[in-house]
Amino acid sequence: MSQVELARESVYGARSGEANPATHIPVLDGVRAQSISLVLAGHLLPLGPKAFDLDSTAASLGMAQFFCLSGYLIVTFLYRKPDVVDFLIRRVFRIVPALVLFLAVAMAAGIGVGSQAALLNLAFVSNYFYAGLSPYALSHLWSLSVEMQFYVAIALAILLLGRRGLWLVPVAALVVTALRVQAGAPIHINTHLRVDEILSGGCLALFALYRTKIPPVSLPVWAARGGIALIFLLWLTSAHSAGGWVNYLRPYLTAALVGSLMFGPLPRLQNLLSTRPLRYLANISYAAYLYHLLMASGILAGHGTYETYLFKRPITFLLTWAAAHLSTYYWEKPWNNFGRSRIQGWIRGR
């Protein structure tokens, strides 16, 4: 079955509420693997002369993909099952146990992680209270605050409006983008100036869910691929400091690119993104994201030297992989199962 057919089956399963093995779209594993690769490369590797600003560009593009996938999956899940309690339990047990373990390891590492920083991150407010992002090993945790604040907001929308609350997603996306333009903030870590990257993924989910009701547009394969190539080039520009106004379109270019990978005439690329190694990388991506800067701290810290990139960085990547593998399969997985079964069963039984 092709990726496009899988995507169609996924939409059908989501809309009908029936269990369907095809609700998993393999190509999205490849996108997630690509996104963590971009983030790690942007943070840990020299991607070109410093003047080219490729490191921050790669990391920003990777985060945009992470956020887009999150918005897509959350909106799809809530459309299929608009149960706020179930949703929040799943999200809390997906995010919090791994974060608690990471913060404990970071505090034990003796690199200056204090209780205030840990508490700010556990309260998911470090993207506004920046003391939670110090030292360097914690500087990336702002993104978890953006995610969790989005979860609370969309859960409230569902609680008040039911499934209709999902139609606030595109409205909110445009409002946040307008706020970014007004503030002159092409990229920022405050939720009200960044969450349009997640909301754009929600817009993609709504499109996927209702695409059968939209009159199809038939294009020659060469024209469709040409359009995708243009989207890709604009997407690359949308996170660069020289991108200008295109930076404000980054959320929507990311969603368009991910949608193109799901539905576009790109069978070879779709098959490549669906391979088992990329699925494994996607599975450990959250933990890898948590640990990568910690593993580049202390005696492994450093930038811009041959010693760093020839010796320290290979060790950093190896330690990141080991920590991510252990965290994902021996810590996070039991907690996820506990949240989905024991806690949900206890709440339902009350």
Side-chain angles (χ1 to χ4, degrees):
M1 182 178 287
S2 70
Q3 290 293 332
V4 174
E5 291 169 333
L6 278 172
R8 288 173 179 165
E9 289 296 316
S10 172
V11 172
Y12 173 77
R15 292 180 66 181
S16 66
E18 299 169 358
N20 192 326
T23 55
H24 173 252
I25 304 176
V27 72
L28 296 186
D29 290 331
V31 175
R32 187 176 297 278
Q34 179 192 38
S35 67
I36 188 60
S37 299
L38 285 170
V39 170
L40 267 59
H43 287 169
L44 301 177
L45 296 177
L47 299 181
K50 188 174 181 180
F52 289 0
D53 195 27
L54 297 181
D55 290 335
S56 62
T57 298
S60 297
L61 291 174
M63 282 309 308
Q65 286 187 316
F66 254 132
F67 281 151
C68 180
L69 289 175
S70 178
Y72 175 85
L73 295 172
I74 293 308
V75 169
T76 300
F77 176 87
L78 287 172
Y79 185 91
R80 181 171 66 243
K81 188 178 181 182
D83 184 328
V84 171
V85 173
D86 180 66
F87 166 69
L88 289 177
I89 288 174
R90 287 173 179 266
R91 290 294 87 197
V92 167
F93 278 88
R94 175 71 180 94
I95 299 295
V96 174
L99 177 61
V100 169
L101 178 62
F102 166 74
L103 290 172
V105 171
M107 294 178 75
I111 57 173
V113 177
S115 57
Q116 180 188 23
L119 289 173
L120 288 172
N121 283 295
L122 288 172
F124 298 101
V125 293
S126 63
N127 63 326
Y128 286 97
F129 297 91
Y130 301 152
L133 305 180
S134 180
Y136 173 72
L138 307 185
S139 60
H140 59 311
L141 297 186
W142 61 269
S143 63
L144 301 186
S145 297
V146 175
E147 286 264 2
M148 193 61 75
Q149 290 163 25
F150 165 71
Y151 298 156
V152 172
I154 198 166
L156 182 60
I158 294 295
L159 186 64
L160 295 176
L161 301 173
R163 188 179 285 133
R164 292 175 298 176
L166 295 176
W167 289 107
L168 293 176
V169 167
V171 176
L174 294 175
V175 169
V176 172
T177 302
L179 289 174
R180 288 203 296 128
V181 173
Q182 183 183 40
I187 191 164
H188 209 282
I189 66 172
N190 290 167
T191 299
H192 69 285
L193 298 174
R194 188 60 175 266
V195 76
D196 52 352
E197 291 187 351
I198 301 180
L199 294 167
S200 69
C203 294
L204 175 61
L206 292 174
F207 168 78
L209 290 164
Y210 288 95
R211 66 189 297 263
T212 56
K213 298 182 179 181
I214 302 173
V217 177
S218 180
L219 292 174
V221 171
W222 65 266
R225 291 178 178 173
I228 294 171
L230 178 59
I231 291 172
F232 178 71
L233 292 175
L234 289 172
W235 178 71
L236 292 178
T237 305
S238 69
H240 196 274
S241 57
W245 61 270
V246 180
N247 277 266
Y248 296 107
L249 300 180
R250 182 176 56 258
Y252 311 102
L253 290 168
T254 304
L257 183 64
V258 173
S260 297
L261 293 172
M262 292 170 60
F263 301 111
L266 303 168
R268 292 183 181 179
L269 182 56
Q270 289 162 344
N271 289 334
L272 176 63
L273 291 171
S274 304
T275 55
R276 184 172 295 180
L278 292 185
R279 183 173 185 177
Y280 169 75
L281 183 54
N283 286 339
I284 66 169
S285 61
Y286 171 47
Y289 179 75
L290 285 177
Y291 284 93
H292 75 285
L293 293 186
L294 175 61
M295 300 308 177
S297 302
I299 62 173
L300 293 177
H303 293 280
T305 66
Y306 288 109
E307 177 190 6
T308 296
Y309 297 121
L310 290 178
F311 298 103
K312 293 183 177 180
R313 284 300 180 259
I315 297 174
T316 293
F317 278 107
L318 180 61
L319 291 175
T320 299
W321 167 78
H325 182 88
L326 292 173
S327 177
T328 300
Y329 294 106
Y330 296 98
W331 177 256
E332 297 169 47
K333 187 175 180 179
W335 279 108
N336 288 337
N337 292 337
F338 178 78
R340 293 175 182 177
S341 57
R342 297 281 185 89
I343 298 298
Q344 289 182 31
W346 177 75
I347 290 177
R348 301 305 180 197
R350 290 188 66 181

